[in-house]
Amino acid sequence: MASSTSLLSEEQFHCPICLDMFTRPVSTPCGHNYCMACIESYWDGALVCQCPVCKERFEMRPHLKVNTFISELKSQFMLLQVTDQLQVNSGSVVLCDICIDTQQEAVKSCLECLTSYCEVHLEPHHRAAGLRKHTLVNPVTNLEDKICKEHNRLLVMFCRGDGVLLCDVCTSLQHVSHDVVPVLQAYKQMSALLGDTEAKVQQMVQERQQKVQAMKESIKQSKRETEDVVTNNEQELATLLYEIQKSHAELVKVVKKKQKASEEQVEGFISGVESEIMELQITMIKLRELKQTEDQLRFLQNFPNSPLLPHTMDLSLFSFNRHLEAQHIQKSLGSSVSQLRMLLNQMNAEISKFAFSDGTEVSNELMLRYMQQYEVNVSLDLRTANPLLILSDNCKEVRYGMGSGLWINQNLNPNMFSEHLAVLGTRGFSSQKFYFEVFVGRKTEWCLGVATASLQRKGGITRTPHCGLWAIWFLEDKFETFSAPGVPVYLGKVQRVGVFVDYDVGQVSFYDIQRAALIYLFSDCSFTEQLYPYFNPCDNEYGSNLDPMVIVPVSCTE
């Protein structure tokens, strides 16, 4: 029967090679003990077999078998560790399950009977031959929750890979090659992880609170400066002619419109950050509640398999510098007023410039960095490629060609495009956001976007908004959308294109990476099935066009 006292220490059951608890312990002829896998691996390829500890050499490689005595001793030691810890954590009196009238305090719990006994009702376990073989441990509450349902043995191990509690039999039969550690070790490691995560969550909450406060102060300052711009210029322009009054009215309209747009932008950001704060605070509460769970088994059973931290935005991607624009227009107009007769046209031009300048270049740069956070690994699906396309061995490049290249798809199958020179990505997406980049170089024609799994593969594809393809088509020096042929949406050539999809919002956007410029945005899309990246390198109709379309990582430079 088990006893809660032991003169053994955990270090005595550590393998000298892996420095962890024995797994299938074996003994060498010199009397030292190792994990079977450790010593076998140590001897593999060695010219002479010797003991890693005492260096004794063996003329022939010893034939090793599991030392059942050490294995059972290790199991008993771990059993004592767990039962002692369970009793410490229970913190309450365990009553005898057999007493009828007045329940007495239990002195032992039987792992085979799953019952706790007082001194009187424990007596048969000392007397009866069959019961004497049962394993008795110090009284444990809710004993049935701590026993393996399959082998009726105490749960003493934890598989970190599968996230499940195991008994010693489960460990030796079903999890031999898994990352299995004692319950106590797993509890300490994961408790430490919770502590670190809680501190990180608290720091993230503080950062967001500080960011929100800074944004609130910035918008107040911006509003004051905007009002100052309106008031100061109103006094100076009030005495001028009709043209000056017209310019002033236009200035007020533009500045207020800009201010309103800025306020709406910051308010949207603040709302998102406050939502993140609420979600992080909820996460922190949950982490604290889980961290306070002293019952190791319940702690591990309740430990979430999903990531501990919720997905949050990068705060560095958003900044507010509206007041700089206000300062710029104030300085520009102040100079113009002093020479108004001579510079009236210039002043109107500045107002118009301010009216139509919305910080697009800066905003697009920040937006591009934000989208690149959602980069996914995209590979081309050989089964969908048109037979006239050539794919690279790593399925990252596709080009038009016949009879040359790294790979040519010759076998027709129902998944491939028969007429369109297209190929899809291997992975489909049905929620959240995803992003990928494609290098098109000097190609004179190409088509890129995302398509539904049900997109027509045989014959031509009708170019309508409801065909299941959201793509841009480049023709020599201009862009049009696949769904609206003949209508230019962007002029000029690009070398590298970023594709960003917000599935839940219903948007697909395309960016010129070099200029950080938006090429086109599909909005208000209704997605009802998985979306797959779509690539069409096109033929040579508009000149030499044999260069490939190449899927490149965000970190890659030309």
Side-chain angles (χ1 to χ4, degrees):
M1 283 183 279
S3 170
S4 61
T5 60
S6 176
L7 299 178
L8 298 175
S9 65
E10 183 176 329
E11 288 73 17
Q12 292 174 285
F13 297 96
H14 281 185
C15 170
I17 296 178
C18 67
L19 303 181
D20 208 343
M21 294 284 284
F22 285 128
T23 301
R24 303 183 68 202
V26 296
S27 299
T28 58
C30 59
H32 292 105
N33 304 308
Y34 305 93
C35 300
M36 177 176 285
C38 292
I39 191 62
E40 293 285 1
S41 176
Y42 182 82
W43 283 343
D44 286 343
L47 298 177
V48 178
C49 293
Q50 64 179 9
C51 175
V53 174
C54 67
K55 305 303 180 182
E56 180 176 342
R57 297 189 175 191
F58 310 113
E59 294 184 3
M60 297 182 61
R61 180 166 176 162
H63 179 65
L64 303 176
K65 294 184 179 180
V66 174
N67 189 321
T68 56
F69 174 76
I70 296 178
S71 181
E72 181 62 27
L73 193 62
K74 185 199 78 169
S75 298
Q76 290 295 324
F77 175 76
M78 293 173 59
L79 178 66
L80 293 175
Q81 274 192 322
V82 173
T83 53
D84 288 345
Q85 192 63 33
L86 287 176
Q87 188 182 27
V88 170
N89 291 338
S90 65
S92 59
V93 175
V94 181
L95 300 179
C96 176
D97 294 325
I98 307 301
C99 293
I100 298 176
D101 296 331
T102 303
Q103 284 187 298
Q104 300 297 317
E105 184 176 344
V107 295
K108 293 290 180 181
S109 294
C110 177
L111 299 186
E112 282 73 18
C113 301
L114 297 182
T115 305
S116 298
Y117 299 96
C118 64
E119 193 66 51
V120 174
H121 292 114
L122 181 66
E123 191 273 335
H125 278 71
H126 297 309
R127 172 172 44 80
L131 296 178
R132 281 204 301 267
K133 297 180 180 180
H134 287 196
T135 303
L136 300 178
V137 298
N138 289 327
V140 178
T141 59
N142 301 321
L143 185 59
E144 62 279 2
D145 295 335
K146 302 172 177 63
I147 298 295
C148 175
K149 301 299 186 293
E150 182 177 357
H151 303 110
N152 204 38
R153 295 175 70 88
L154 195 64
L155 299 168
V156 296
M157 304 294 289
F158 181 71
C159 179
R160 288 191 283 204
D162 296 336
V164 295
L165 293 163
L166 309 170
C167 69
D168 54 348
V169 178
C170 294
T171 303
S172 61
L173 294 180
Q174 304 165 5
H175 297 260
V176 175
S177 59
H178 293 192
D179 185 8
V180 177
V181 296
V183 164
L184 183 59
Q185 179 181 343
Y187 172 79
K188 291 180 179 178
Q189 291 175 345
M190 296 173 80
S191 293
L193 175 62
L194 276 185
D196 295 341
T197 304
E198 180 185 0
K200 188 172 183 179
V201 170
Q202 186 174 6
Q203 180 182 357
M204 292 173 69
V205 170
Q206 292 175 350
E207 290 174 351
R208 279 152 179 77
Q209 289 175 334
Q210 292 172 359
K211 188 74 173 183
V212 168
Q213 185 61 34
M215 288 295 101
K216 289 180 178 179
E217 292 298 325
S218 295
I219 199 65
K220 289 180 181 178
Q221 179 183 356
S222 173
K223 192 171 183 178
R224 289 194 299 268
E225 293 182 357
T226 297
E227 293 173 351
D228 290 343
V229 169
V230 174
T231 302
N232 294 338
N233 284 278
E234 184 177 15
Q235 295 174 353
E236 296 178 4
L237 298 174
T239 58
L240 298 181
L241 301 175
Y242 168 76
E243 290 82 4
I244 300 177
Q245 294 174 340
K246 181 179 179 181
S247 298
H248 172 250
E250 183 66 18
L251 170 67
V252 174
K253 177 182 175 181
V254 169
V255 171
K256 288 189 174 181
K257 182 177 179 181
K258 288 276 292 182
Q259 179 60 32
K260 182 179 179 181
S262 299
E263 291 178 3
E264 290 175 351
Q265 181 184 14
V266 173
E267 287 171 358
F269 174 80
I270 291 175
S271 177
V273 174
E274 288 176 340
S275 296
E276 285 191 358
I277 292 174
M278 183 177 298
E279 185 175 358
L280 287 169
Q281 288 174 335
I282 293 173
T283 300
M284 184 166 59
I285 292 173
K286 291 180 179 179
L287 291 175
R288 286 177 176 173
E289 290 176 352
L290 183 57
K291 184 181 178 184
Q292 292 172 359
T293 302
E294 296 181 349
D295 188 320
Q296 299 171 7
L297 302 184
R298 190 176 301 278
F299 170 87
L300 295 174
Q301 290 169 339
N302 293 335
F303 196 90
N305 291 326
S306 57
L308 296 175
L309 293 178
H311 181 75
T312 56
M313 69 178 76
D314 187 346
L315 298 181
S316 65
L317 297 181
F318 191 93
S319 61
F320 184 81
N321 55 4
R322 173 70 180 84
H323 60 282
L324 297 178
E325 293 182 341
Q327 293 172 1
H328 168 73
I329 193 62
Q330 175 64 45
K331 181 178 179 181
S332 176
L333 292 179
S335 174
S336 298
V337 168
S338 63
Q339 304 177 30
L340 186 57
R341 293 294 179 185
M342 182 176 56
L343 302 175
L344 182 58
N345 292 335
Q346 178 182 346
M347 184 178 70
N348 289 330
E350 287 290 337
I351 294 175
S352 299
K353 179 181 178 181
F354 184 65
F356 291 102
S357 172
D358 57 358
T360 300
E361 183 175 346
V362 176
S363 299
N364 284 349
E365 179 68 31
L366 294 176
M367 179 58 70
L368 186 58
R369 288 170 55 192
Y370 165 75
M371 294 186 302
Q372 288 173 337
Q373 294 183 111
Y374 296 94
E375 181 185 18
V376 294
N377 184 18
V378 174
S379 296
L380 302 174
D381 189 348
L382 303 175
R383 300 168 301 175
T384 65
N386 182 288
L388 298 181
L389 296 182
I390 299 174
L391 274 64
S392 62
D393 285 339
N394 64 359
C395 293
K396 295 290 186 181
E397 302 181 19
V398 57
R399 65 185 177 89
Y400 171 75
M402 285 292 292
S404 63
L406 302 177
W407 181 89
I408 302 180
N409 190 341
Q410 296 287 3
N411 300 318
L412 295 175
N413 66 65
N415 293 319
M416 67 172 48
F417 291 92
S418 63
E419 182 172 325
H420 269 254
L421 299 175
V423 59
L424 298 180
T426 57
R427 180 183 174 190
F429 302 86
S430 58
S431 65
Q432 300 182 343
K433 307 174 181 68
F434 65 94
Y435 175 88
F436 61 95
E437 289 187 5
V438 179
F439 179 75
V440 293
R442 297 170 298 177
K443 291 182 66 62
T444 57
E445 182 184 8
W446 48 267
C447 186
L448 175 66
V450 292
T452 60
S454 61
L455 179 68
Q456 183 176 341
R457 311 287 175 89
K458 302 302 178 185
I461 302 174
T462 305
R463 298 181 66 173
T464 67
H466 305 292
C467 64
L469 176 59
W470 295 266
I472 54 173
W473 201 311
F474 175 72
L475 300 165
E476 294 189 285
D477 60 355
K478 62 180 179 297
F479 288 85
E480 62 186 45
T481 64
F482 182 85
S483 58
V487 181
V489 296
Y490 189 79
L491 299 178
K493 293 186 176 182
V494 301
Q495 289 189 338
R496 187 162 172 163
V497 182
V499 183
F500 177 71
V501 178
D502 191 330
Y503 191 100
D504 299 327
V505 174
Q507 291 184 348
V508 182
S509 52
F510 300 85
Y511 271 78
D512 177 352
I513 301 301
Q514 277 68 34
R515 299 182 180 87
L518 178 65
I519 298 175
Y520 189 76
L521 169 67
F522 290 96
S523 59
D524 299 324
C525 304
S526 180
F527 303 132
T528 58
E529 54 182 300
Q530 283 192 327
L531 299 179
Y532 290 81
Y534 171 93
F535 304 83
N536 185 336
C538 299
D539 55 20
N540 289 330
E541 180 180 356
Y542 294 93
S544 179
N545 192 36
L546 296 181
D547 288 346
M549 298 176 73
V550 185
I551 302 169
V552 292
V554 169
S555 58
C556 176
T557 58
E558 271 69 72

